[in-house]
Amino acid sequence: MERSEGKTSLLCLFLFTYCLQCRCDIPVVQNWPSSVTLPENIPIGTVMFNFTVKSDIFDEDISINTQDSTTFGVVNINQNRGNNVFAQVISKTELDRDGYGIPGKTTSILKFVVIDLRGNTLNLLTTLKLIDVNDNTPQLENTPYQWSISEYSKNGNETFRRIKATDLDEGINGNDGIVFKMEPESLVLEYLSTFSIDSSTGVIRQKRALDYEEHSVYHFNISATDQKGNGRTSESTILTITVIDVQDTPPVFTSGSYKALVRNDAEIGTHVITVHALDGDTGYRPMNAIGYYISPGGCSEVFTINDQGGINTRLHIDQNTDAFESACELDVVAQEVLYDANQQYGPIKTKATVYVMLRSKESQDEFDRCSSDSPKVVGTLLVTLLIGIQRFI
């Protein structure tokens, strides 16, 4: 019985001594960081941190390796061999959290393993924290921009909300710090008095009433800058604002006033002059047709006008006619016809003046002879057009 107890005591002493020896032989790690904080844009080859691994066994050969694919892809380990190892963990790729290296991650776990000749292993973990830097430029989306807006839109009620930008950086360096800017391609003051941009949201707003006939298209350069306007600026893109014409402008005569000569013995139906007017809303399709009439008064009963604007004598011309002695004025009205009243937002009539003067038969004959000798001036002398002021009705 005493011999059995002695054997048991010796066995326990052996096991305790063995375990103590193994424990003492395990390599010891010094200066191991639980976490490392670095800017995301450190150059490749930067020493991220250092540490030491030691063993009391003189002929020990310690090696340190990465333990997973993430760590292997990010770092190299520069180390000597033996029982006293000094190791440097060095970046082997870009750590850019926004695109390369460890994309989309603010923190990552790096895993290492220490191995000695007897197969002892130590697993080491450290947390890599990346500090965001402003290394990305805002990117405008869905460019270029097009906005079509009716000239009849109410002042300030129309907005354009398609301008968007994204920035891969964080916080004020990224989306939170984007400021939009709108610059006119033309230095015309009207550009900035007509449209404005909300620098925080990129929303474009109409500031005043539009007029297609005054300005039918606007061009602006749009850009986005991070850090609240103090950082990186995107490439600019074009915003084209097209004003859609509506029926709000009266017809326009091709001349403001007209002057015509007629013989004092002209027969009924003699052509005097032709006037011409167009729909004033040149950007609206289809354009409205134009009709004509002569306003009552003066010598209006002596003349008539057809649908093409041709003015002819309706009575026999006589210098002694009460309504027409030597000259008279005709007020000719051009009016849009066959128009949609629901789409009409302005006047539909315009007035122009036709000055008609009598010419005697003798002076006409002399004029005809001169004209036959100088054919190049025929027509130029027959009817003289004078530019005057049109009057809207």
Side-chain angles (χ1 to χ4, degrees), residues 147 149 153-163 182 190-199 201-210 218 220 222 239 241:
W147 184 18
I149 178 173
S153 60
K154 299 298 182 181
N155 182 21
N157 285 355
E158 296 296 327
T159 57
F160 182 73
R161 300 175 179 271
R162 283 187 50 218
I163 296 177
M182 179 175 74
E190 177 203 349
Y191 268 62
L192 295 180
S193 65
T194 305
F195 297 98
S196 64
I197 189 170
D198 185 317
S199 61
T201 64
V203 173
I204 307 292
R205 185 174 298 277
Q206 173 197 353
K207 296 172 62 176
R208 69 177 184 90
L210 303 176
Y218 298 82
F220 292 94
I222 304 296
L239 165 63
I241 302 176

Side-chain angles (χ1 to χ4, degrees), residues 268-316:
I268 295 174
T270 298
H271 179 66
V272 178
I273 195 173
T274 298
V275 299
H276 186 62
L278 298 171
D279 186 345
D281 298 299
T282 56
Y284 189 87
R285 294 293 183 274
M287 297 176 68
N288 289 338
I290 305 298
Y292 305 91
Y293 66 87
I294 299 173
S295 296
C299 59
S300 60
E301 72 274 13
V302 181
F303 300 95
T304 185
I305 189 169
N306 58 31
D307 292 340
Q308 289 72 45
I311 298 177
N312 302 314
T313 58
R314 190 166 64 89
L315 301 176
H316 177 75

Side-chain angles (χ1 to χ4, degrees), residues 241-254:
I241 302 176
T242 303
V243 180
I244 302 172
D245 196 14
V246 299
Q247 283 289 350
D248 64 345
T249 305
V252 177
F253 279 97
T254 54

Side-chain angles (χ1 to χ4, degrees), residues 178-230:
I178 290 178
V179 171
F180 295 95
K181 187 176 182 180
M182 179 175 74
E183 295 180 311
E185 280 200 338
S186 170
L187 297 179
V188 179
L189 182 62
E190 177 203 349
Y191 268 62
L192 295 180
S193 65
T194 305
F195 297 98
S196 64
I197 189 170
D198 185 317
S199 61
S200 298
T201 64
V203 173
I204 307 292
R205 185 174 298 277
Q206 173 197 353
K207 296 172 62 176
R208 69 177 184 90
L210 303 176
D211 188 345
Y212 175 90
E213 286 69 35
E214 176 185 331
H215 218 118
S216 61
V217 64
Y218 298 82
H219 296 287
F220 292 94
N221 290 315
I222 304 296
S223 61
T225 304
D226 57 24
Q227 287 189 340
K228 298 297 182 182
N230 299 311

Side-chain angles (χ1 to χ4, degrees), residues 81-204:
R81 302 301 290 265
N83 69 332
N84 188 357
V85 176
F86 176 75
Q88 293 179 317
V89 176
I90 301 172
S91 63
K92 67 185 291 187
T93 185
E94 294 182 8
L95 300 183
D96 184 2
R97 45 171 282 178
D98 310 311
Y100 304 98
I102 314 176
K105 293 185 178 182
T106 304
T107 61
S108 297
I109 303 299
L110 301 183
K111 299 179 181 181
F112 303 85
V113 61
V114 177
I115 305 174
D116 64 15
L117 288 176
R118 287 172 304 286
N120 293 317
T121 61
L122 289 174
N123 294 322
L124 305 177
L125 303 177
T126 189
T127 301
L128 174 62
K129 300 178 181 179
L130 296 180
I131 302 172
D132 185 51
V133 296
N134 191 20
D135 59 349
N136 289 285
T137 300
Q139 301 295 317
L140 291 166
E141 300 178 349
N142 303 316
T143 60
Y145 301 115
Q146 304 279 342
W147 184 18
S148 296
I149 178 173
S150 170
E151 66 172 326
Y152 192 64
S153 60
K154 299 298 182 181
N155 182 21
N157 285 355
E158 296 296 327
T159 57
F160 182 73
R161 300 175 179 271
R162 283 187 50 218
I163 296 177
K164 305 291 182 183
T166 56
D167 192 316
L168 292 176
D169 292 318
E170 186 179 58
I172 194 172
N173 292 334
N175 294 337
D176 294 344
I178 290 178
V179 171
F180 295 95
K181 187 176 182 180
M182 179 175 74
E183 295 180 311
E185 280 200 338
S186 170
L187 297 179
V188 179
L189 182 62
E190 177 203 349
Y191 268 62
L192 295 180
S193 65
T194 305
F195 297 98
S196 64
I197 189 170
D198 185 317
S199 61
S200 298
T201 64
V203 173
I204 307 292

Side-chain angles (χ1 to χ4, degrees), residues 247 251 279 284-292 307 335-344 348:
Q247 283 289 350
D279 186 345
Y284 189 87
R285 294 293 183 274
M287 297 176 68
N288 289 338
I290 305 298
Y292 305 91
D307 292 340
Q335 175 177 321
E336 297 179 27
V337 297
L338 302 177
Y339 61 89
D340 184 351
N342 295 324
Q343 299 297 322
Q344 195 72 35
I348 62 172

Side-chain angles (χ1 to χ4, degrees), residues 66-75 92 109-112:
T66 57
Q67 202 172 10
D68 65 349
S69 59
T70 297
T71 308
F72 177 79
V74 173
V75 302
K92 67 185 291 187
I109 303 299
L110 301 183
K111 299 179 181 181
F112 303 85

